[in-house]
Every structure is written in C-alpha cells, then in structure tokens.
Amino acid sequence: MQDALKDGNVLLALCGVVLILLFLTLLRRRQPTKILAYHSENGRVMVSRSAILELVQSACRQIEQVHRPTVRIRSRRGVCHLKVGIKLESGGKLRDLENALQLHLRQSLTETLGIEQLGNIDITATGFKNPAKSRYARAQCAAAEPIHHHRNAS
C-alpha cells in the first residue's frame, strides 16, 4: 500500500514539474505586445506589436514580388528581432529580393516608428504565389474544356 502511495506521489510530482516547465516555455515564447522604440529625456517610447505588423505588411506590399507576409517579433535585451515569412511571386528570385526587402524594412521601422535597437530581420520564403486567374476566367476555361464520356463496350 505504501509503495503504491509513493509511486502515485512520484507520478504526481513528475506531472507537476512537466506542467510547470510547459507553462514557463509558453511564457517565454509569447511575443511581446509592446516594443521599446527609444528612450527620450521624458521616458520610454513604446510601439505596439500591431503597429509593427501593419508597417511590415505595408512595406512588403510596396515590393511587387512579395506576398502574404507573416511576422514574428522577439525582443531580447532591448533589441527587436523580426522573422518575416513571405510568398514570392512565381519566378521571383529570393537572392535579388532579400537584401532590398531587409533594407526597406529596416528603413521603414527606424524612420516611421523610431525603433533604434533593431537587430536581425530574418527572411523566410514560405512558398510561391501563382499568377491568379479571376473566377470569371477560370469559369470560362472550365466551360471551354470538352467533357469526355467513357463508354464501356458491352
């Protein structure tokens, strides 16, 4: 009976430790809601995460070959780091694009939002965007295709 209680207590303690570690990991991975832009003589100036997201999306829309950006923000020791995922235009070249995009983002974030401590801006290509046809064009193509019926010879 005592062995069963000891085993149960050990199991309960292990579950507690696992839950605490999971909770701490989730807290650490959570993205900040506000980022320190700069210090002024009157105090700190903060920028909301949503303002950074809107600015990055707006900056990406200005570059034709970049579509559907996703942004992860991490702040370490007062330095803001970004991970930007993008879909490239079909036929787009990441090497040609990444430097221009990083410079454009860095300039936009420092000039518009005043973020002084800007660290890495990592770019990840998440896929390609095919030239989209309109619904009307797809419907016209579908209507123009002949329908083949296969008949079994009986």
Side-chain angles (χ1 to χ4, degrees), residues 1 14 24 26-27 32 39 44 57 63 86:
M1 180 80 178
L14 283 174
L24 290 174
L26 288 174
L27 272 179
H39 287 281
R44 298 182 313 169
Q57 289 172 348
I63 299 176
I86 58 169

Side-chain angles (χ1 to χ4, degrees), residues 59-77:
C60 287
R61 276 194 295 268
Q62 294 173 5
I63 299 176
E64 278 186 37
Q65 295 178 341
V66 176
H67 300 278
R68 297 176 56 189
T70 58
V71 184
R72 295 211 27 104
I73 303 166
R74 184 164 282 160
S75 184
R76 286 194 204 128
R77 297 184 187 132

Side-chain angles (χ1 to χ4, degrees), residues 15-147:
C15 286
V17 168
V18 168
L19 285 175
I20 289 171
L21 289 174
L22 183 64
F23 180 72
L24 290 174
T25 302
L26 288 174
L27 272 179
R28 189 167 181 200
R29 295 190 80 180
R30 197 179 93 227
Q31 294 189 37
T33 56
K34 294 179 185 168
I35 301 293
L36 176 66
Y38 57 91
H39 287 281
S40 72
E41 55 190 54
N42 296 322
R44 298 182 313 169
V45 177
M46 306 294 282
V47 176
S48 73
R49 180 181 184 281
S50 61
I52 294 172
L53 290 175
E54 286 176 24
L55 184 67
V56 169
Q57 289 172 348
S58 173
C60 287
R61 276 194 295 268
Q62 294 173 5
I63 299 176
E64 278 186 37
Q65 295 178 341
V66 176
H67 300 278
R68 297 176 56 189
T70 58
V71 184
R72 295 211 27 104
I73 303 166
R74 184 164 282 160
S75 184
R76 286 194 204 128
R77 297 184 187 132
V79 179
C80 179
H81 301 277
L82 301 176
K83 290 187 180 201
V84 180
I86 58 169
K87 286 196 179 280
L88 293 174
E89 186 78 33
S90 184
K93 295 184 174 127
L94 186 59
R95 279 197 187 270
D96 298 340
L97 206 64
E98 59 89 15
N99 191 43
L101 181 58
Q102 285 172 328
L103 289 173
H104 185 59
L105 289 174
R106 189 172 299 279
Q107 182 179 7
S108 296
L109 290 164
T110 54
E111 289 178 6
T112 305
L113 297 178
I115 298 175
E116 293 176 346
Q117 297 295 318
L118 195 54
N120 293 339
I121 300 176
D122 297 328
I123 307 293
T124 303
T126 59
F128 291 94
K129 181 182 184 301
N130 292 328
K133 291 183 182 179
S134 69
R135 285 185 183 177
Y136 178 76
R138 283 193 299 255
Q140 292 298 320
C141 288
E145 291 178 7
I147 299 173

